[in-house]
Amino acid sequence: MVAFGKKLKERQIQEWQGFYLNYKLMKKRVKQYAQQMEVGTQDRRHVLKDFSRMLDNQIEKTVLFILEQQGQLASRLTNLREQHDALEETPEISQITELREAYRAVGLDLLKLLYFVEMNAIGLRKILKKFDKRFRYRFTDYYVKTRANHPYSQLQQVFKHVGLGAVVGAISRNLHELQDRQGSYLSIYDPPALPLQDPVVDSIKAAVDRLSHSTNFLNFLAQHALIMQEELPAPTDERIDDERYHFMSLLLNLANTFLYMVNTYIIVPTADDYSMSLGAAATVCGIVIGAMAVAQVFSSVYFSAWSNRSYFRPLVFSSIVLFVGNTMYALAYDMNSLTVLILGRLFCGLGSARAVNRRYISDCVPLKIRMQASAGFVSASALGMACGPALAGILQTNFKIYKLTFNANTLPGWVMAVAWLVYLVWLWISFKEPSRDIKEPPASSSETLENGALEEGKQPLLITSEEKQEDDEDPEGDGSEEAPEESRQPATSIVSAYRLLTPSVKVQLLIYFMLKYAMEILLSESSVITTYYFTWSTSTVSIFLACLGLTVLPVNIVVGSYISNMFEDRQILLASEIMVCIGILLSFHMIIPYTIPQYVCSGLIMFVSAEVLEGVNLSLLSRVMSSRLSRGTYNGGLLSTEAGTIARVIADATITLAGYLGESRLLNITLLPSFLICVASIVATCFTYNSLY
């Protein structure tokens, strides 16, 4: 893959070549500034002033050209409007068709202009990032704040694109009117000449969405899904997406996500009682719960590789393995075998198809609804997390059929076995395997659109893997345009993928590890802790865990819609880490008696803060991940999943090991590693971002 400078040159519209930002010139100027400052011929103040002037001139050139093109489009639309009005008096099908095609032609020219704006947006974002990185100065913040907030802002003209929005509206409305008019004059036996939504309008809307996503709840929620597109899609890619898209198949993937999360947490309230009924200690519940995560460490890899060839077969395999695993979990009671119980949970972990679910959304869902699908993935996970414990609280009964026992311990296994059997039948009937006769899209990793409000001083421009690619290939800005052949290939193993991680990425993965560890400790030991200190019943524990799960979506609404518009992501990240740390500290049992309000409030603070932290952390992770980790089996999404899964395994093992010291010491012993890891992540965060900025 070539570097961004060369790619920008290749993609430029030839007749508009002189109106693009001169990225190559600005890149050379940054290098000259660095050399001059090294020898002492220039000071920083002069460099900032000179580079600001250069950027202003480049942006002015581009903005004036955009306005000129907008004027030409507006003039053409005015003429078409006059023709449209004339048709009101003497409508003819042939003239309506010609007029519709004329509007489409304007739409295609608008699409070309949008791509022009988009490439300049990336170039400006890229050169600002390069300047900050070279001089260790927050020039981007200064430049965007001073230019965007000015009443005569040229940046506003580009990145708010109010004029372009009006053109989009005019084309969409008139095409819709003409489509309706044509339908009224055709016979009912004639097939409609247009689909419900015009493809030109679809392409324009997709381009506008890529150009300026606003920071909102849907975008924030979708960041949790860790799904990305490698580079800017072309209109042909969007048509390919439409051909591969099948709504019922997407729904089946979301249902798989929901059922798997229910399967994960449905046993948490009763795992300690089940362990004791088989002659083990209550704290063995850590092994029982964690066995699923242990198997998931391996299943994530082979499911990620399998999804390169098929989506249907991995989902079928997942359903069968989960059916077998839950059946074994339920039968362990009558067999009086702890081994069968743990093996059942291992089988459940081997059926984790979340890598396939993510990959399907990344590869087969059209760009225009990919954000909604990603948000649906996260919502399904959150709903499953809440429904699992709630369902366990309902299944409080005891009866036998022949030699099979159905009670609070075994019913979660039986219910999930039936659920996966029904899902398997639905999958077999309704799933449609996408065609593989087209070029494979990249593997899922994380969303890469960076969105922010100009008026808040955030970085408002798009960042894609193209930008990250050049940073990997030309980190010192030496002007090299061609990457070595080996640097173009995706990672071929976990080890090679790990070697591609920069210090900032490692910090983000450490934060992800920390929050997953802290959440797993809180959830997995909740039944043992509440029984020991408060003598809670299974139903009470279930209600507590369900309430925690139900906080996920409301918290994300608040953060995604309000808080993220007021503060930078890095500020929210650090504040969330500190709040997690406070929640952990408040959870310790010190000298005074341990009370229900202390446990509930501290747990709520820890859990909610960790949820906020996860969304922001994954957003930042997507921006610093190497582009070579955006595709292939060993991608960034797999690394993040493995980090979180390993954290859960270690947390569950910690619970079991700490249980040997007695239940009275379990709480403090398990919280201590959480506190130390949290402090380490806070220190690493402060050190990393202070060194970068």
Side-chain angles (χ1 to χ4, degrees):
M1 182 181 291
V2 296
F4 175 75
K6 187 171 183 179
K7 185 171 292 187
L8 175 61
K9 185 176 180 180
E10 292 173 351
R11 291 191 180 186
Q12 285 181 354
I13 302 169
Q14 292 303 315
E15 60 267 28
W16 295 354
Q17 197 167 20
F19 301 101
Y20 283 87
L21 295 176
N22 196 331
Y23 177 80
K24 186 175 182 181
L25 174 64
M26 291 189 290
K27 183 179 175 182
K28 288 182 177 179
R29 186 65 61 87
V30 170
K31 185 179 179 181
Q32 290 173 3
Y33 290 147
Q35 294 172 345
Q36 291 170 355
M37 290 183 67
E38 285 179 5
V39 298
T41 58
Q42 290 281 11
D43 60 8
R44 173 173 289 187
R45 184 177 179 181
H46 182 273
V47 167
L48 296 177
K49 184 177 180 180
D50 190 61
F51 191 61
S52 297
R53 185 187 299 113
M54 183 179 187
L55 280 176
D56 290 340
N57 292 337
Q58 291 289 324
I59 292 172
E60 181 179 275
K61 172 186 68 176
T62 301
V63 166
L64 292 177
F65 177 75
I66 293 171
L67 293 175
E68 179 185 349
Q69 293 300 312
Q70 282 182 216
Q72 294 178 10
L73 293 175
S75 177
R76 292 167 63 185
L77 288 172
T78 300
N79 294 333
L80 292 176
R81 180 72 256 177
E82 294 174 356
Q83 299 177 36
H84 196 168
D85 292 339
L87 285 178
E88 297 285 344
E89 300 176 0
T90 56
E92 294 183 11
I93 295 298
S94 59
Q95 293 179 352
I96 292 174
T97 302
E98 291 177 2
L99 186 59
R100 190 183 66 247
E101 292 303 319
Y103 272 112
R104 281 182 169 176
V106 177
L108 292 174
D109 287 341
L110 172 61
L111 192 59
K112 186 167 69 171
L113 182 59
L114 286 170
Y115 285 139
F116 172 82
V117 176
E118 188 171 25
M119 292 304 293
N120 282 286
I122 297 171
L124 180 56
R125 170 68 181 86
K126 184 86 183 83
I127 199 64
L128 287 170
K129 179 182 176 184
K130 184 173 289 294
F131 189 93
D132 285 355
K133 187 174 182 180
R134 175 60 71 94
F135 297 103
R136 298 290 189 267
Y137 183 77
R138 295 189 180 186
F139 177 75
T140 300
D141 289 348
Y142 156 77
Y143 189 81
V144 170
K145 286 180 181 178
T146 55
R147 268 58 177 178
N149 292 327
H150 197 277
Y152 305 130
S153 170
Q154 292 175 331
L155 278 180
Q156 292 276 11
Q157 289 289 334
V158 178
F159 301 112
K160 291 295 183 182
H161 52 272
V162 178
L164 290 176
V167 177
V168 172
I171 294 172
S172 302
R173 183 178 65 83
N174 283 282
L175 280 175
H176 185 268
E177 285 184 4
L178 291 170
Q179 179 173 295
D180 289 345
R181 178 180 293 279
Q182 186 185 33
S184 64
Y185 288 96
L186 288 176
S187 166
I188 60 172
Y189 300 106
D190 293 329
L194 282 174
L196 184 61
Q197 183 64 51
D198 193 283
V200 173
V201 176
D202 280 346
S203 297
I204 292 172
K205 289 181 177 178
V208 172
D209 287 342
R210 289 197 307 271
L211 185 58
S212 62
H213 282 292
S214 61
T215 302
N216 53 28
F217 164 59
L218 186 63
N219 181 44
F220 184 83
L221 191 63
Q223 290 165 356
H224 287 66
L226 216 60
I227 295 167
M228 81 174 264
Q229 60 200 51
E230 185 187 358
E231 55 185 43
L232 300 175
T236 53
D237 297 326
E238 293 160 14
R239 290 195 292 271
I240 288 172
D241 280 341
D242 289 333
E243 293 172 4
R244 293 164 64 87
Y245 175 59
H246 183 237
F247 174 75
M248 188 58 68
S249 299
L250 172 62
L251 191 61
L252 282 161
N253 271 277
L254 298 180
N256 183 281
T257 299
F258 169 77
L259 287 177
Y260 186 79
M261 292 303 290
V262 173
N263 210 147
T264 300
Y265 291 100
I266 193 172
I267 73 156
V268 172
T270 58
D272 57 337
D273 290 338
Y274 205 164
S275 300
M276 289 190 293
S277 70
L278 298 179
T283 52
V284 174
C285 69
I287 294 296
V288 176
I289 297 171
M292 196 169 179
V294 170
Q296 190 178 343
V297 172
F298 303 98
S299 65
S300 297
V301 177
Y302 66 72
F303 272 116
S304 181
W306 202 349
S307 63
N308 290 325
R309 300 185 298 275
S310 173
Y311 302 103
F312 176 68
R313 288 191 290 272
L315 291 176
V316 170
F317 176 78
S318 166
S319 305
I320 294 173
V321 171
L322 282 159
F323 170 76
V324 173
N326 282 288
T327 303
M328 292 176 63
Y329 183 85
L331 290 174
Y333 187 88
D334 293 306
M335 298 174 67
N336 195 30
S337 173
L338 183 64
T339 302
V340 174
L341 182 73
I342 295 174
L343 284 175
R345 290 293 288 178
L346 283 171
F347 266 78
C348 290
L350 291 174
S352 172
R354 288 174 67 82
V356 180
N357 304 145
R358 286 193 181 101
R359 183 72 176 271
Y360 184 88
I361 294 174
S362 174
D363 289 1
C364 304
V365 175
L367 177 67
K368 58 180 176 287
I369 64 168
R370 194 171 300 161
M371 188 73 73
Q372 291 91 327
S374 301
F377 176 88
V378 178
S379 300
S381 299
L383 188 61
M385 184 179 181
C387 288
L391 190 58
I394 296 173
L395 301 176
Q396 299 298 307
T397 186
N398 193 346
F399 61 93
K400 294 192 71 168
I401 298 179
Y402 297 105
K403 295 183 180 181
L404 297 179
T405 302
F406 297 86
N407 57 24
N409 295 330
T410 62
L411 274 172
W414 290 121
V415 168
M416 293 311 303
V418 172
W420 284 113
L421 187 61
V422 172
Y423 175 81
L424 179 60
V425 174
W426 181 24
L427 178 73
W428 196 273
I429 295 173
S430 303
F431 192 87
K432 179 182 177 182
E433 181 76 82
S435 60
R436 294 277 175 171
D437 56 347
I438 61 176
K439 184 179 178 180
E440 286 279 348
S444 62
S445 173
S446 56
E447 287 291 340
T448 60
L449 295 179
E450 179 182 3
N451 311 307
L454 280 170
E455 61 271 15
E456 302 301 334
K458 291 186 180 181
Q459 296 172 348
L461 315 181
L462 295 176
I463 174 171
T464 69
S465 61
E466 289 180 350
E467 302 182 45
K468 290 181 263 183
Q469 180 73 23
E470 186 180 347
D471 286 335
D472 296 337
E473 296 162 2
D474 186 20
E476 299 303 326
D478 58 3
S480 66
E481 296 289 345
E482 196 73 36
E485 180 67 28
E486 59 271 15
S487 71
R488 308 175 192 178
Q489 302 301 322
T492 56
S493 67
I494 288 288
V495 175
S496 61
Y498 181 80
R499 289 173 180 167
L500 293 174
L501 301 182
T502 62
S504 57
V505 175
K506 292 177 182 178
V507 170
Q508 302 303 137
L509 292 178
L510 172 63
I511 294 172
Y512 195 65
F513 178 93
M514 178 274 292
L515 67 91
K516 287 298 182 183
Y517 183 93
M519 290 173 67
E520 189 72 10
I521 288 291
L522 172 66
L523 299 175
S524 295
E525 70 177 13
S526 58
S527 182
V528 179
I529 295 299
T530 54
T531 300
Y532 177 79
Y533 285 104
F534 318 126
T535 63
W536 279 6
S537 64
T538 299
S539 298
T540 307
V541 178
S542 300
I543 293 172
F544 171 69
L545 294 178
C547 289
L548 287 181
L550 290 173
T551 62
V552 174
L553 293 181
V555 167
N556 283 324
I557 290 175
V558 174
V559 175
S561 300
Y562 302 104
I563 297 179
S564 61
N565 289 325
M566 296 185 289
F567 303 98
E568 293 185 5
D569 284 351
R570 293 183 182 91
Q571 294 173 325
I572 303 174
L573 181 82
L574 186 58
S576 300
E577 286 182 272
I578 294 173
M579 289 304 299
V580 171
C581 191
I582 291 174
I584 294 172
L585 283 174
L586 293 176
S587 299
F588 277 95
H589 179 204
M590 307 304 288
I591 301 173
I592 60 175
Y594 205 55
T595 62
I596 293 177
Q598 179 185 353
Y599 177 76
V600 172
C601 292
S602 61
L604 190 62
I605 292 172
M606 186 195 310
F607 186 85
V608 169
S609 301
E611 279 296 325
V612 174
L613 180 61
E614 181 174 6
V616 178
N617 182 62
L618 293 182
S619 172
L620 289 172
L621 185 62
S622 69
R623 303 172 197 176
V624 294
M625 189 80 74
S626 167
S627 63
R628 290 177 62 189
L629 294 174
S630 67
R631 56 195 186 276
T633 300
Y634 302 96
N635 53 72
L638 177 64
L639 290 180
S640 302
T641 300
E642 294 291 83
T645 304
I646 291 172
R648 291 171 52 206
V649 170
I650 296 175
D652 291 323
T654 302
I655 294 172
T656 300
L657 293 175
Y660 287 104
L661 300 177
E663 293 184 13
S664 61
R665 300 180 179 179
L666 177 65
L667 179 65
N668 289 347
I669 292 176
T670 52
L671 287 175
L672 184 59
S674 299
F675 175 73
L676 295 177
I677 298 172
C678 187
V679 171
S681 70
I682 293 174
V683 173
T685 300
C686 294
F687 177 79
T688 300
Y689 289 117
N690 283 339
S691 63
L692 289 178
Y693 295 92

